[in-house]
Structure formats: structure tokens, C-alpha cells
Amino acid sequence: MWLASPALPIGGFSYSEGLEAAIDAALVTTEAEAAGWLVQQLHLTQARGDMAAIAQALPAWREGDLTRVEALNDWVLHTRESSELRLQTEQMGRSLTDWLRNQHAEDPGRSGCVAQLAALSRRRPTYPIAFALAAAFIQAPAQQALLSYTFGWAENMVQAAIKAVPLGQSAGQRILARLTQEIPAAVAHAETLPDEARQAFSPMLAILSAQHEHQYSRLFRS
């Protein structure tokens, strides 16, 4: 629950992941369109990409397989098709890594985890891979870790929709309720994907993100 909290100081509230650009392009103008957009983003980009990477990174962290972790981290970086999306995963990954370091600096029983954290810090840690390490620290089962990650993502995105569409709080809660119904299926799908089925193919999202980088007026960093 702590890892899912929007209050976690990693900056997730700063990003809309292309939603603000979709709103500016009049692709999302209503509560129903915002809900549909986020449900599709959940299944088409999150479940097949970052969530699948987390599911695979968790056992790698637990087994100390840093080669596998590095390969997954590189894959996440390579899937970022705009500079702002890459900035987001790097900034949030770095912030979560710093938070973990502060949380466990004085814990003598966590020497192995701290060593893993140091290994991640030497790379460009992405948010999904740093999240997997955080879940490994607390020995969270994969399903619970993915539910936590995805609900945190959903809350941030709903807050972005409330601010940018704009929508009322009640509309935001209805969208969140719909996402909550969809999340278990997305998690189950992410857990089944092997390397060759993991993907991040969302060309319209990439185009909107590139346009957002030059958008005249905006609230969010992506």
C-alpha cells in the first residue's frame, strides 16, 4: 500500500503519460472518453510493457541475477519513444532508488538489498525496475506487487484527467472504479508474458508525446 501511495516522493503526479496531449488534440474531452483512454492504456501499454517487465524483474532481483535486471532495465529505456517519456522513467526510477536508500540505510539486516541498490544506482534505473526492487525488499508476491504498481499508476492518471480535462472528483472516482475492475485481468496478463511477447507498441501515444514536448500550454511534464 505504501508503494502505491501518490504521496510517495517520486514525482508521479508530474506526468500524464500523453493524456494531456490527447486532451489538447480533442481526442479526450469527456469522462467517458477519459475512462476509455485509460482502460486502453492499461491493457495496451502497461500490461504488455512495464507491468510485464516488473513481473520478470522480481525473480531476477530475488535471485541476484543482475545481468537479467540490467537487460530488463535496458529494454524499458529502449521502449521510450520520446525524450519526455524517457525523462519520466529515469526521474521516477532515480527518485525511488533514492527513497529506498534512505529507507534502508540504517538497516543492518538489509546488506544484500543495499548491495543490489548500489548496483542499480550505477545504471540509469528505470521506474519499473526500481519498483520491482522495492517489492523484492519487502518480499511481496508478484501479484500483490503488480496490483500495487498498477493501482498507483491508475490513481496518478485519474488525477491527471481531473486536472486536465477537467473533471469533477466524482467523475474521477467513477473512472478509478472502472480501472479497478480492469486491473486484475491486466495483472494476470502481465504475469504470463515471456520475453518475446513483451512489447511497447503504441505509435499514437508516441506521436502525442512528441507533440506534447512542444505544446504551448501544459500542466504536466509528459
Side-chain angles (χ1 to χ4, degrees):
M1 292 175 66
W2 197 350
L3 291 175
S5 172
L8 201 67
I10 57 174
F13 62 87
S14 302
Y15 304 98
S16 79
E17 300 186 21
L19 178 61
E20 186 174 36
I23 293 167
D24 188 66
L27 298 174
V28 175
T29 60
T30 65
E31 175 187 338
E33 289 173 348
W37 178 276
L38 294 179
V39 167
Q40 290 185 41
Q41 193 165 0
L42 169 65
H43 290 296
L44 297 178
T45 66
Q46 287 292 328
R48 300 190 303 178
D50 287 3
M51 291 164 61
I54 292 171
Q56 295 172 2
L58 267 168
W61 279 123
R62 289 171 179 151
E63 295 162 11
D65 188 350
L66 296 181
T67 300
R68 173 69 165 157
V69 168
E70 181 178 334
L72 289 166
N73 194 67
D74 287 345
W75 183 85
V76 174
L77 286 172
H78 294 157
T79 64
R80 281 1 190 214
E81 297 180 291
S82 69
S83 60
E84 67 174 24
L85 292 177
R86 179 154 178 152
L87 169 68
Q88 176 182 348
T89 198
E90 289 183 347
Q91 179 271 302
M92 292 181 67
R94 183 172 61 252
S95 296
L96 183 53
T97 301
D98 290 343
W99 181 80
L100 285 170
R101 185 182 297 108
N102 292 332
Q103 289 292 109
H104 298 288
E106 306 299 327
D107 188 348
R110 295 282 188 173
S111 58
C113 293
V114 172
Q116 290 179 317
L117 190 56
L120 180 61
S121 298
R122 288 193 290 270
R123 317 297 305 174
R124 286 185 171 180
T126 62
Y127 177 54
I129 305 308
F131 188 95
L133 178 57
F137 273 13
I138 58 175
Q139 301 179 2
Q143 183 188 46
Q144 291 185 18
L146 286 168
L147 288 170
S148 171
Y149 168 85
T150 312
F151 188 76
W153 170 85
E155 279 202 307
N156 276 325
M157 295 302 293
V158 167
Q159 287 301 313
I162 288 172
K163 295 173 185 175
V165 172
L167 300 170
Q169 292 292 334
S170 295
Q173 288 298 300
R174 287 191 293 269
I175 296 173
L176 189 60
R178 181 174 171 189
L179 285 168
T180 301
Q181 292 177 338
E182 301 281 345
I183 284 173
V187 166
H189 183 59
E191 288 186 283
T192 66
L193 293 179
D195 281 358
E196 61 271 16
R198 193 178 63 241
Q199 61 176 291
F201 182 68
S202 50
M204 179 57 74
L205 191 62
I207 291 169
L208 286 169
S209 178
Q211 292 172 340
H212 185 262
E213 291 175 350
H214 305 283
Q215 190 169 310
Y216 172 70
S217 177
R218 61 186 191 177
L219 297 173
F220 300 96
R221 299 179 70 185
S222 75

